Amino acid sequence: MSKRLYIKTYGCQMNVYDSERISDTMKTLGYRAANEMADADLIVLNTCHIREKAAEKIYSELGRIRAIKADRSRAGKKTIVAVAGCVAQAEGAEIVRRAPVVDIVVGPQSFQNLTHLVFRAEQEGRHVIDTSFPADGKFEQLPKIRAPKSCTAFLTVQEGCDKFCTFCVVPYTRGVEYSRTPEELIVEARGLIENGVQELTLLGQNVNAYHGKAEDGSTWTLANLLDRLAQFPGLKRLRYTTSHPNDMTDDLIDAHRNNPKLMPYLHLPFQSGSDRILAAMNRKHTVEEYCAIIRRLRNARPDIALSTDVIVGFPGETDEEFNATMKLIEDIGFAQAYSFKYSSRPGTPAAAMENHVPEEVKAERLAKLQSLLSAQQSAFNAACVGSQVPVLFERPGREQGQLVGRSPYLQAVHVDDCLAHTNAIVDVVISGASRNSLTGVIKKTPALASCKE
Ligand code: SAH
Ligand code: SF4
Ligand code: F3S
C-alpha cells in the first residue's frame, strides 16, 4: 500500500506553491495525499513566520499532532512529522526543543531534500534539520512535471528579498533575491498549460523585481516574461503578485496597456500613508510616489482594480500618521486589501525601535481602517451588479449545483446554473453582490444550449 502525506499550508501563495512542489517530490517515493491528518504517514506543516500569531499557531497545531501520533503509534503505525517553511527557517532546532514530536525541520530553500530527510528520519530515528541555502538551485532538483489541481495555477518566478523593510522577516527566512531562468519557467508553464491550466499567477516575494538571465545572456524583466507566456494560445489569463512600488517599471505598466491576457487587477502594498513612517519602515518611496504610480497605471489601464497591504501601529505611529493612512485609502479606493496590526518580530530593526504602540491603540486603528476598506470593497462589488463579466469557473461551490469562479478583478463569482461547467471562461451577468463575492447568471448565447431537465 502506498504511503500517505498530509500537508497543512500557512502564509502566502509562495507557500501554497511550495506545498504543491513538496507533494510532487514525495510522489517520487510513492506518497499520495491523505484526506485527514490521522491517516497520514508523513505530516508536513508548511509554516509562516510573518507575524507572531502565525508562528504561535504552529505550536498549538503541533500539540494536536502529538496526540494523533500517539494514537497512530498505539495502532502500530509510524508517523513522521515535518515542519517546513519560514518558521522552520527562522527557528531551526528550537522547534524540536519546544516540540519533540517533530522529526524533520526543513527550510523553504531546502525542501527539495525532503525525500532524503524522510529516509534519514526513518533510518536514524532521530531529528533531522536542514535549513541550508544550497548553492545550486532547488528548482532544478524538483520533478519537472506538475499535475495542476485546477484550471488556475501558481508559478514561482522569483524568490527572496533584498529590501529589508524594518518590520519584515522575509529577507531572513527566504534569503536573497533570486530569479528563475526564462527557459525553465517556459517549460514549467508549458507543462501546466498542456495539462489544462488557463490562468497563471506568477509569484515572488518581490515578483516585479524579476530579472531572469536567459541562455543567450539577455536579462528578462517581468514584462518580457508576461509577454512570452501570453503567446501560449491555451493560456487565457495572467496575474502576478506581490509587487513592490519601487519595481513598478515603465515596461510593466505598459504591459497593463498592451498585454491583453494580463488581468486588470494589481496587488500593490503601500503599508503606510505617512512619509515619516514609510522612511522608518525603509520602504524607500513616498506617499506621492505611490500615488504617481497608481495614476500611471490607471492611465495605462483605466479599469484596473487595486488591492494592497497596510500596517497600523508601526512603532512611533501617531494619530495624525494613522489618519494619513486613512486618507490615502480614501484618495485611492481599493477593491480589496489586507490590513494588519504591526507585530514585533525578533531580530528585525523595528523590534528594537522605541515607542511601540499599545495593543489597544493598534486594535482601535485596525478596526477603523478595516471598516473603511470593507466599505470600499462592498462598493466596488456592488458597482458590478448589472454588468457582464467573463468568469473562469474553477470548482463546485458549497451548495449543490453551484459553481465558483473568478472575475478578471479576482472577485469570487457564484452561479447556480445548469449551463455552467468548470474549466471554462463564460460571460456572467452579475445579479447580486456582497463584501466578499458576487452572484450571477450565465449569459445565454446560441452556443450555449438551454438546459434539459
Ligand atoms: N513582499 C511583499 C509582502 C510580504 S509580507 C511586499 O513587500 O509588499 C505580506 C504583508 O505582511 C506585508 O505587505 C505587510 O503588510 C505584512 N507584514 C509583514 N511583516 C509584518 C509585521 N511584522 N507586522 C505586521 N504586518 C507585517
Ligand atoms: Fe518584506 Fe519589505 Fe521584502 Fe516585502 S519588500 S518581503 S515587506 S522586506
Ligand atoms: Fe509567511 Fe514566509 Fe510567506 S513568512 S508570508 S510564508 S514568505
Side-chain angles (χ1 to χ4, degrees):
M1 244 175 57
S2 69
K3 291 201 167 181
R4 297 280 170 177
L5 160 71
Y6 189 94
I7 308 182
K8 188 160 180 181
T9 308
Y10 301 80
C12 63
Q13 291 107 323
M14 316 242 351
N15 264 11
V16 175
Y17 175 88
D18 289 350
S19 290
E20 274 188 35
R21 303 317 314 269
I22 288 173
S23 99
D24 292 342
T25 301
M26 295 315 299
K27 241 184 232 161
T28 63
L29 283 191
Y31 278 83
R32 308 233 318 274
N35 292 329
E36 282 176 46
M37 226 178 231
D39 297 332
D41 305 285
L42 171 63
I43 298 172
V44 179
L45 298 184
N46 196 9
T47 62
C48 173
H49 200 244
I50 202 83
R51 284 166 290 274
E52 194 181 349
K53 267 200 190 133
E56 280 308 312
K57 259 191 215 160
I58 303 308
Y59 289 101
S60 41
E61 187 67 41
L62 286 170
R64 285 189 287 275
I65 290 174
R66 195 174 54 169
I68 291 175
K69 190 168 175 168
D71 280 351
R72 282 177 53 89
S73 170
R74 277 191 289 276
K77 294 179 201 157
K78 270 189 154 180
T79 317
I80 301 273
V81 178
V83 174
C86 292
V87 176
Q89 192 63 44
E91 298 192 0
E94 175 63 19
I95 296 176
V96 291
R97 267 194 294 276
R98 263 184 84 177
V101 67
V102 174
D103 302 287
I104 297 170
V105 176
V106 60
Q109 299 307 336
S110 36
F111 66 74
Q112 71 285 5
N113 301 335
L114 194 59
T115 49
H116 304 290
L117 301 175
V118 167
F119 184 74
R120 273 184 54 199
E122 278 169 348
Q123 295 299 308
E124 298 169 16
R126 61 183 180 89
H127 308 296
V128 284
I129 294 168
D130 184 352
T131 50
S132 56
F133 284 87
D136 46 344
K138 75 175 174 210
F139 293 100
E140 288 95 88
Q141 296 175 46
L142 291 169
K144 292 281 172 285
I145 304 297
R146 287 175 62 191
K149 291 205 187 101
S150 83
C151 54
T152 66
F154 290 137
L155 175 56
T156 293
V157 304
Q158 179 279 335
E159 275 212 280
C161 181
D162 296 341
K163 295 219 164 28
F164 291 93
C165 299
T166 53
F167 52 81
C168 184
V169 294
V170 170
Y172 312 97
T173 62
R174 290 273 172 169
V176 293
E177 215 176 273
Y178 165 81
S179 293
R180 298 178 67 191
T181 68
E183 289 85 3
E184 66 176 300
L185 292 170
I186 291 165
V187 168
E188 192 168 323
R190 180 180 290 121
L192 289 167
I193 295 162
E194 282 171 355
N195 280 299
V197 167
Q198 299 187 44
E199 175 177 303
L200 270 180
T201 302
L202 309 189
L203 298 181
Q205 266 89 22
N206 283 287
V207 71
N208 57 344
Y210 178 79
H211 56 281
K213 278 264 175 290
E215 275 162 13
D216 65 5
S218 62
T219 301
W220 288 38
T221 63
L222 187 66
N224 299 147
L225 184 64
L226 289 164
D227 278 348
R228 172 62 190 87
L229 295 175
Q231 287 170 19
F232 282 111
L235 186 70
K236 302 289 189 280
R237 292 177 162 190
L238 279 163
R239 306 179 185 278
Y240 60 94
T241 198
T242 291
S243 296
H244 192 288
N246 292 0
D247 295 309
M248 242 19 253
T249 50
D250 288 343
D251 70 333
L252 188 53
I253 292 176
D254 280 345
H256 282 276
R257 188 194 326 262
N258 301 326
N259 187 332
K261 294 189 180 174
L262 188 53
M263 290 294 99
Y265 181 86
L266 180 67
H267 180 70
L268 193 63
F270 70 81
Q271 315 296 1
S272 166
S274 146
D275 284 341
R276 193 191 74 83
I277 296 290
L278 285 173
M281 287 176 162
N282 193 31
R283 290 292 289 181
K284 297 201 175 85
H285 63 78
T286 62
V287 173
E288 176 43 34
E289 281 160 353
Y290 182 85
C291 293
I293 293 165
I294 301 299
R295 284 195 295 273
R296 280 158 57 216
L297 274 162
R298 284 181 164 155
N299 190 27
R301 184 78 209 228
D303 65 337
I304 199 162
L306 298 162
S307 154
T308 198
D309 290 345
V310 199
I311 295 177
V312 300
F314 185 81
E317 185 189 67
T318 63
D319 281 340
E320 291 72 46
E321 286 161 343
F322 166 69
N323 288 336
T325 296
M326 294 286 281
K327 177 166 185 314
L328 183 56
I329 295 170
E330 272 162 16
D331 288 350
I332 290 184
F334 290 94
Q336 205 273 139
Y338 300 95
S339 47
F340 312 99
K341 287 189 279 191
Y342 167 76
S343 168
S344 182
R345 308 308 289 128
T348 59
M353 287 178 186
E354 288 176 354
N355 297 325
H356 279 252
V357 175
E359 203 47 41
E360 60 277 13
V361 177
K362 284 194 231 174
E364 214 175 282
R365 288 181 187 167
L366 187 68
K368 251 175 129 175
L369 187 99
Q370 289 187 334
S371 96
L372 174 60
L373 287 168
S374 146
Q376 289 192 345
Q377 187 172 357
S378 300
F380 180 78
N381 287 348
C384 296
V385 173
S387 68
Q388 183 181 310
V389 297
V391 176
L392 174 56
F393 286 105
E394 288 164 40
R395 56 186 171 83
R398 273 200 213 114
E399 282 149 44
Q400 183 140 38
Q402 193 182 53
L403 280 190
V404 191
R406 296 273 171 186
S407 76
Y409 305 115
L410 212 56
Q411 295 146 301
V413 183
H414 299 258
V415 300
D416 190 355
D417 193 323
C418 61
L419 290 178
H421 51 92
T422 50
N423 309 336
I425 297 178
V426 182
D427 283 333
V428 172
V429 180
I430 302 302
S431 53
S434 69
R435 183 166 73 87
N436 290 317
S437 65
L438 303 175
T439 49
V441 288
I442 291 187
K443 184 168 182 269
K444 305 287 183 288
T445 64
L448 289 170
S450 64
C451 304
K452 292 198 184 70
E453 295 302 324

